[in-house]
Amino acid sequence: MSALKLPNGPQTHPWVQMYQWLTNPLEYMEACAERYGDIFTLQLGQNVAPQVFISNPQAIQQIFTTDPKQLDSGEAAGVKSPLLGRQSLLALDGKPHQRQRKLLTPPLHGERMLAYGELIRDITEQVTSQWQVGETFTVLPSMQAISFQVILKAVFGLEDGPRYEKLSELLIAILNPKIPMLRTVLLLFPSMRQDLGAWSPWGKYLRLRQQINELIYAEIGERKEQPDSSRTDILSLMMAARDEAGEAMTDLELRDELMTLLVAGHETTATTLSWALYWIHHLPQVREKLLQELDELGEQPDANAIFRSPYLNAVCSETLRLYPVAILALNRLVKSPLQIGEYKFEPGTLLTPSIYLTHHREDLYPESKQFKPERFLERQFSPYQYLPFGGGNRRCIGMVFALFEMKLVLATVLSHWQMELADSKPVQPVRKGLLFSPAGGVQMVVKEKRLQNQPILQTSSNSA
């Protein structure tokens, strides 16, 4: 297809478009949508396929429901990660993708998921017990510590000990680089990945990855030598899973899926929790209504009761709507001619549903920049209007687990601590690698420990 037949978009040089995308993607997308509408084309760099950004719910529905044989994601659509590996669910397509998805789904849903409730609450209490009354602290590192421990203990099934400590140290080093933008550039531009020794950025990355791999394979090897059917961690369940041919996942597949669950579930969950705590304390009426709902559950509420709490669910949903952790769904590669609306896309075209732009459509979400949990109590949104975890055959497989963890952590924190924001200034999103975190990580002050059913204190004026 010639570029002329693609939807309209900026005519600036591809490298200029790439620069604007890297430095200010939210505003850049919004400016393009305002000028060109809810389907537009960007050329992000030279010698790469144009990307068609879509925030039209009807078009997104067609993308998510089209047969993957005609339109699919995976490595061919540009989903490549040197950390996750080529056997990651994100990189696979076709039958291999279907097989892995079937094997991975059961451990992350239903009764098995609920079994992690006590672990999540214990970890949350342990991390937050370090907070000091009267001291200002940053929320994001605490949420990172919680989500990280949940993954290492619930997903990897690691107990405290030398391997746990070493893997923690290595994973934190590789997941939280000192210069996030440099890591982003290295991941986006393969030609810049040069191993110039252990002190070069890419050389350091490769050596960290190798050490992580050695520890993961050692853990898998020990599990195989000493099988224990009583284990309920996700790695053990993955190792026990069999496909239709009776085959188990290989060590390489297990390693790549573990890294996928880690990367997809660590910083994302921590960032969303930080945003949620910001909005809950920025808007006193939200906090009061939420505490009232949680208090009505009693002193030791069942994890499932927390998970199903309507207003808590609305708060989490609105948090994920306003600043979705993933601002784009996975690219889809057109494999055979496809008609969407007035456009006919030829093979080789990349279609990119924009989660952020869809979530800020004024026809769906009036006053879209305002935090209003009631939106999700007043109406239901279709999977093509609200899509924080993507959609179709590429919807995040850990969605239910992530929501379960978020709700339990929030309920535990709010039930135990009376807090307020340290600053009244509005918090803005800032780019941190491929994600958008609240600037400053959300500064808060602990006022006191909260007893169950303690009267709700009015939040002071500095958080209004």
Side-chain angles (χ1 to χ4, degrees):
M1 173 187 284
S2 72
L4 294 175
K5 294 182 181 179
L6 289 168
N8 290 334
Q11 298 304 304
T12 51
H13 192 280
W15 286 119
V16 173
Q17 294 186 44
M18 174 59 93
Y19 174 79
Q20 291 179 290
W21 173 251
L22 283 176
T23 57
N24 218 351
L26 302 184
E27 288 79 358
Y28 188 44
M29 278 196 300
E30 287 178 321
C32 289
E34 186 174 343
R35 181 171 180 182
Y36 304 109
D38 54 16
I39 301 181
F40 58 85
T41 304
L42 294 182
Q43 181 75 51
L44 301 177
Q46 284 186 303
N47 305 316
V48 295
Q51 278 182 254
V52 179
F53 283 63
I54 298 171
S55 56
N56 178 293
Q58 291 75 35
I60 291 174
Q61 179 176 5
Q62 191 171 344
I63 290 171
F64 286 170
T65 56
T66 294
D67 191 319
K69 293 178 182 177
Q70 188 179 5
L71 184 70
D72 201 11
S73 190
E75 189 170 334
V79 181
K80 300 177 182 178
S81 170
L83 180 58
L84 304 187
R86 300 185 70 177
Q87 297 303 311
S88 163
L89 192 66
L90 296 178
L92 296 171
D93 61 9
K95 289 186 177 179
H97 174 260
Q98 292 176 0
R99 171 186 180 267
Q100 291 293 86
R101 198 169 178 93
K102 284 182 180 178
L103 289 171
L104 288 168
T105 297
L108 293 163
H109 291 77
E111 293 300 318
R112 286 174 172 173
M113 180 195 71
L114 291 173
Y116 304 121
E118 186 175 349
L119 173 64
I120 292 170
R121 285 195 276 202
D122 287 348
I123 290 171
T124 304
E125 290 178 6
Q126 174 200 334
V127 171
T128 59
S129 67
Q130 300 169 32
W131 294 350
Q132 298 295 318
V133 173
E135 290 188 6
T136 299
F137 71 103
T138 306
V139 166
L140 182 58
S142 292
M143 298 303 107
Q144 289 171 325
I146 291 169
S147 68
F148 193 66
Q149 286 192 44
V150 168
I151 286 174
L152 286 187
K153 293 183 177 179
V155 177
F156 284 67
L158 293 176
E159 302 293 337
D160 291 338
R163 182 172 294 158
Y164 177 94
E165 297 300 328
K166 185 61 178 175
L167 190 56
S168 297
E169 175 189 331
L170 294 170
L171 287 170
I172 289 171
I174 206 166
L175 292 173
N176 297 294
K178 293 181 179 178
I179 310 176
M181 185 55 74
L182 175 59
R183 173 68 56 79
T184 302
V185 170
L186 289 173
L187 295 178
L188 290 175
F189 300 101
S191 61
M192 298 185 67
R193 301 173 193 169
Q194 301 294 327
D195 183 359
L196 303 177
W199 296 103
S200 65
W202 191 245
K204 183 177 181 180
Y205 180 89
L206 293 177
R207 286 156 181 79
L208 281 171
R209 186 180 67 178
Q210 180 58 32
Q211 293 179 70
I212 290 168
N213 288 347
E214 289 171 1
L215 288 170
I216 291 176
Y217 285 130
E219 183 69 23
I220 293 172
E222 284 185 15
R223 301 276 184 97
K224 287 185 172 180
E225 290 175 6
Q226 303 170 358
D228 181 354
S229 59
S230 67
R231 295 190 67 126
T232 59
D233 58 88
I234 290 172
L235 171 57
S236 294
L237 297 174
M238 285 164 57
M239 292 179 69
R242 297 293 183 271
D243 62 18
E244 293 173 354
E247 297 292 327
M249 280 191 254
T250 65
D251 288 2
L252 177 60
E253 288 171 334
L254 289 168
R255 179 266 171 211
D256 287 1
E257 299 302 3
L258 280 173
M259 292 307 300
T260 302
L261 291 172
L262 173 71
V263 172
H266 166 47
E267 193 70 25
T268 52
T269 302
T271 298
T272 304
L273 284 166
S274 301
W275 274 122
L277 287 168
Y278 165 72
W279 287 113
I280 289 166
H281 292 86
H282 183 69
L283 301 169
Q285 69 274 19
V286 171
R287 176 179 172 273
E288 290 167 19
K289 191 170 181 178
L290 187 52
L291 279 176
Q292 184 176 356
E293 179 180 79
L294 293 174
D295 285 347
E296 287 173 356
L297 297 178
E299 288 192 21
Q300 293 293 329
D302 175 70
N304 197 34
I306 293 173
F307 184 64
R308 297 183 183 281
S309 297
Y311 195 67
L312 176 59
N313 182 70
V315 168
C316 291
S317 297
E318 179 70 345
T319 302
L320 288 163
R321 180 201 67 81
L322 192 58
Y323 292 124
V325 175
I327 60 174
L328 304 174
L330 292 176
N331 293 338
R332 262 61 170 192
L333 178 69
V334 178
K335 296 182 176 180
S336 58
L338 179 68
Q339 184 86 29
I340 295 182
E342 62 184 285
Y343 301 104
K344 184 177 181 181
F345 297 109
E346 297 296 331
T349 309
L350 284 177
L351 305 182
T352 306
S354 174
I355 298 173
Y356 179 82
L357 287 180
T358 305
H359 285 186
H360 285 271
R361 289 180 65 102
E362 286 293 323
D363 59 339
L364 293 175
Y365 306 100
E367 298 181 291
S368 69
K369 302 295 185 187
Q370 303 299 313
F371 187 84
K372 296 182 175 181
E374 287 71 23
R375 302 179 202 273
F376 291 89
L377 298 175
E378 294 165 356
R379 64 168 287 188
Q380 281 194 317
F381 297 92
S382 79
Y384 320 111
Q385 298 170 331
Y386 179 70
L387 51 151
F389 295 93
N393 72 326
R394 294 287 171 170
R395 189 172 75 169
C396 174
I397 200 167
M399 177 185 75
V400 176
F401 186 89
L403 290 170
F404 181 66
E405 181 183 348
M406 282 172 54
K407 292 174 184 180
L408 280 189
V409 172
L410 288 174
T412 304
V413 170
L414 293 170
S415 297
H416 286 72
W417 298 96
Q418 167 75 25
M419 303 186 296
E420 64 180 33
L421 293 174
D423 198 319
S424 61
K425 295 177 183 177
V427 173
Q428 300 297 327
V430 293
R431 183 156 202 160
K432 185 181 178 185
L434 298 176
L435 304 178
F436 284 83
S437 293
V442 183
Q443 301 288 307
M444 299 198 76
V445 180
V446 174
K447 303 303 292 181
E448 63 179 345
K449 289 210 71 172
R450 183 174 181 270
L451 301 176
Q452 194 70 29
N453 296 317
Q454 174 181 329
I456 300 166
L457 297 178
Q458 290 294 326
T459 309
S460 66
S461 59
N462 76 340
S463 65

